Amino acid sequence: MSLPEWIVKVSQFNPIDSNSKGIKSANDLKIVEDHIAKANPKVGIENGWLTLDGKLIAGKQSNVMWWRGSLLEDDIKKATPHLTRFVPGRNGKGLTDAIEEVVDYMTANSMIALEHNYGLWYDRRMDDHERVRRIDSDVWPPFYEQPFARSGKDLAWDHLSKYDLSKYNSWYWDRLARFATLAEANGQLLIHQQYFQHNILEAGAHWASSPWRSANNINQTGFPEPPPYAGDKRIFMAEQFYDITNPTRKKIHQNYIRKSLENFQNNSNVIQLTSAEYTGPLHFMQFWLDEAQQWKEQTHSKGLIGLSATKDVQDAILADGNRNKTVDLIDIRYWYYKDDGTLYAPQGGLNLAPRQHARKLKTGRETEEQVYRAVREYREKYPSKVVLYSTDASSRFGWSVLFGGGSLPSLPKVSLPEFYTALPSMQIVNGNAYSDNVWKLENKGKSYLMYLKKLQDISINLSAYKGTFDVYFINQDSGSVVKKQTVAGGNSSTISTTGIKEKVVF
């Protein structure tokens, strides 16, 4: 007997009652709001600083793996957390991560933000970087889930069903939303890169299995088939991908941007950025910001909208009186001042990835003075906006970012609780140059923070203020307090570094 026959036979003796009369509709049920979620501390912007419950957010950051992964035991041990990695039937670090464990991992490692973008490809057969169509559906985990749902129709390049770009992968988006909610309660951030530019540039294999490729979806995206691989190796699809004059692609982009925003509309701790590796054109950034602003106005939601782009695109947006208002955060990521004071600043919209630009330009190196300079320039020019510094070298320059007025500085966990509470009220001291030996932040008469590039005694004028001031010397590397002294107000006092051997702030 077949299963359908058995169902018909059993139903004759035990029919399912389908009479819904008198039964309350699920839509009419009163939803009791979670009081715990209401009590969560909120991320906000205070005096241009990014804060949580009135305290500056500072610490290490992490990002998810783009495509690598292995189920060998040694590789699993080395794996880092990933929100949308899927290993059927296996849970835990390096497998299908438990979201609670990701939050705990970040706490244990003093991480305050996780940066996420969708995977470069779905399954590990693409690790070989070949562009040929897969002969069967014998996929290799771990899988890096994509934001779009499969259609169940036809065969994509990976021999699974084609994607439907008008429908979304619920598992993917639910996992991100759950992390954002748990992380918010734990004082952590999600940096959400909506797109992943790596798919559309460099190695041709990046595009071969992309959901956006015409051969891989049912939505008639209009990208050329077969793909125009340059020299049968490289792909340059950025110009077509960012072309919003195509009405079909434009509608898909609009819906996808809205989905990326509404998925976190109840979370205060999600920073929305356009795309990982975004070196795209000005017109797409304008389009992306316009969509974000329209969503804000229609839903009366806030959201934290970041501007992360090449310097020419960034400056053009900030000079635009209308779009400037949409931007909450300025993310310095794709340009910097070099050690000789000149700019490393690739142009946007040239159909080149960041490392392709780096091969064509003299990259130089970043120094603490030039990092301080870059952050401070934007902080002073746009005092109401948060400034982030997120270059590949940024983790080495946390103190420079902080003293330049930047948020999310990569700092060790400081053992003095007052440190984080006092900072949102502080300002950069006028006249303090990036070349000075001492950098300063202050809230006059209440709190001061000084960074010593070399050990020296410091004179501070407290003649206008009464009482005493406690001075804490904080090790720049460990965050521990190594010395304490007290100075009196009402006069000028000298703060001595006698007996200190390590680099300190105080």
Side-chain angles (χ1 to χ4, degrees):
M1 182 183 292
S2 69
L3 183 61
E5 289 172 333
W6 179 81
I7 292 172
V8 170
K9 183 177 180 180
V10 172
S11 298
Q12 294 173 355
F13 302 102
N14 187 25
I16 297 171
D17 185 1
S18 59
N19 181 9
S20 61
K21 186 177 181 180
I23 297 176
K24 185 177 289 188
S25 167
N27 294 327
D28 298 328
L29 293 174
K30 285 188 176 181
I31 305 300
V32 179
E33 292 188 16
D34 187 347
H35 68 282
I36 297 176
K38 272 193 168 183
N40 283 350
K42 298 299 181 184
V43 173
I45 298 174
E46 297 182 32
N47 303 317
W49 299 98
L50 195 63
T51 64
L52 177 78
D53 203 22
K55 300 175 183 177
L56 182 78
I57 307 172
K60 293 182 288 186
Q61 300 179 40
S62 181
N63 52 16
V64 298
M65 299 178 77
W66 289 1
W67 58 278
R68 288 186 182 277
S70 164
L71 298 186
L72 298 175
E73 288 301 319
D74 286 345
D75 293 327
I76 291 174
K77 291 176 183 176
K78 298 173 187 175
T80 54
H82 200 301
L83 301 177
T84 52
R85 175 177 54 214
F86 175 50
V87 179
R90 299 187 66 184
N91 299 319
K93 181 174 173 285
L95 304 166
T96 306
D97 288 271
I99 301 298
E100 295 85 353
E101 291 178 4
V102 174
V103 172
D104 291 342
Y105 174 91
M106 292 176 63
T107 302
N109 290 276
S110 301
M111 293 178 178
I112 46 87
L114 179 63
E115 186 168 313
H116 182 276
N117 55 266
Y118 52 77
L120 184 57
W121 37 64
Y122 178 65
D123 83 280
R124 288 198 59 225
R125 288 178 300 171
M126 287 301 303
D127 287 5
D128 61 13
H129 279 70
E130 291 292 335
R131 296 169 298 285
V132 295
R133 188 166 195 163
R134 300 302 167 179
I135 194 170
D136 55 32
S137 56
D138 185 17
V139 292
W140 293 4
F143 304 120
Y144 291 97
E145 290 291 328
Q146 301 293 305
F148 305 104
R150 297 277 184 171
S151 68
K153 301 175 183 177
D154 302 327
L155 291 178
W157 216 243
D158 57 10
H159 216 82
L160 302 177
S161 76
K162 290 185 177 183
Y163 291 94
D164 183 347
L165 304 188
S166 68
K167 296 181 179 178
Y168 301 103
N169 181 344
S170 297
W171 187 88
Y172 175 98
W173 292 103
D174 288 348
R175 297 263 299 177
L176 291 180
R178 178 163 174 75
F179 171 79
T181 299
L182 293 177
E184 184 173 36
N186 209 43
Q188 296 156 344
L189 302 170
L190 171 64
I191 300 175
H192 182 229
Q193 297 279 10
Q194 294 188 10
Y195 291 87
F196 189 24
Q197 186 179 265
H198 209 64
N199 280 118
I200 60 180
L201 289 170
E202 299 188 278
H206 297 170
W207 180 247
S209 292
S210 169
W212 292 89
R213 179 184 169 185
S214 296
N216 295 327
N217 62 69
I218 63 171
N219 307 94
Q220 300 179 342
T221 49
F223 294 109
E225 286 292 343
Y229 295 127
D232 196 32
K233 184 177 182 181
R234 300 293 183 196
I235 192 71
F236 297 91
M237 292 299 299
E239 188 172 348
Q240 295 95 321
F241 186 84
Y242 295 128
D243 177 15
I244 51 174
T245 62
N246 180 297
T248 301
R249 290 203 293 268
K250 181 178 180 180
K251 187 65 176 176
I252 294 171
H253 281 306
Q254 287 174 321
N255 290 337
Y256 176 70
I257 293 168
R258 178 170 285 268
K259 174 65 178 178
S260 298
L261 294 166
E262 72 182 14
N263 199 64
F264 309 103
Q265 63 184 357
N266 296 320
N267 300 107
S268 70
N269 63 327
V270 179
I271 297 173
Q272 299 278 359
L273 301 181
T274 310
S275 169
E277 295 201 327
Y278 187 76
T279 51
L282 172 62
H283 71 79
F284 190 82
M285 182 61 77
Q286 292 170 329
F287 164 75
W288 183 78
L289 288 169
D290 289 346
E291 293 300 318
Q293 183 60 37
Q294 187 178 54
W295 172 81
K296 279 187 170 186
E297 292 172 356
Q298 290 176 350
T299 62
H300 305 290
S301 300
K302 293 183 179 179
L304 290 171
I305 308 299
L307 175 61
S308 187
T310 55
K311 194 173 192 301
D312 57 334
V313 170
Q314 211 161 47
D315 288 345
I317 293 294
L318 293 171
D320 182 331
N322 290 323
R323 296 185 175 97
N324 178 304
K325 298 173 184 176
T326 306
V327 176
D328 301 301
L329 305 95
I330 303 167
D331 181 35
I332 300 173
R333 185 180 295 245
Y334 304 110
W335 64 270
Y336 52 83
Y337 284 113
K338 297 184 283 187
D339 51 340
D340 62 3
T342 61
L343 270 172
Y344 172 72
Q347 287 183 280
L350 296 186
N351 219 15
L352 295 172
R355 62 182 175 185
Q356 290 175 316
H357 278 293
R359 295 185 190 114
K360 293 177 172 288
L361 303 171
K362 291 183 178 181
T363 57
R365 64 185 182 91
E366 296 163 73
T367 64
E368 63 176 5
E369 290 83 6
Q370 298 300 341
V371 171
Y372 173 90
R373 174 190 176 189
V375 174
R376 179 168 175 171
E377 282 182 0
Y378 277 76
R379 187 71 165 78
E380 291 186 323
K381 192 170 183 180
Y382 306 100
S384 65
K385 299 188 186 300
V386 170
V387 178
L388 310 180
Y389 193 86
S390 310
T391 66
D392 289 341
S394 61
S395 61
R396 304 201 313 265
F397 300 107
W399 291 109
S400 299
V401 171
L402 176 66
F403 279 86
S407 291
L408 301 189
S410 179
L411 303 179
K413 189 172 183 178
V414 176
S415 59
L416 189 67
E418 298 93 324
F419 175 83
Y420 300 98
T421 304
L423 275 164
S425 299
M426 292 190 191
Q427 297 177 335
I428 303 167
V429 175
N430 290 332
N432 209 191
Y434 66 87
S435 57
D436 290 351
N437 287 324
V438 181
W439 294 334
K440 304 173 184 176
L441 294 170
E442 67 178 16
N443 180 8
K444 286 186 177 180
K446 294 185 178 180
S447 55
Y448 301 82
L449 188 67
M450 300 189 187
Y451 177 84
L452 305 184
K453 286 194 280 183
K454 66 178 183 179
L455 289 176
Q456 62 187 85
D457 292 348
I458 302 294
S459 178
I460 183 168
N461 185 1
L462 300 172
S463 58
Y465 311 106
K466 296 179 181 179
T468 58
F469 290 78
D470 292 327
V471 182
Y472 297 91
F473 293 83
I474 300 169
N475 185 305
Q476 292 180 23
D477 297 322
S478 68
S480 59
V481 176
V482 296
K483 180 182 176 181
K484 178 185 175 182
Q485 73 180 77
T486 302
V487 296
N491 54 35
S492 292
S493 298
T494 298
I495 298 174
S496 172
T497 58
T498 301
I500 294 177
K501 297 180 180 179
E502 55 269 270
K503 293 185 72 174
V504 294
V505 297
F506 67 82

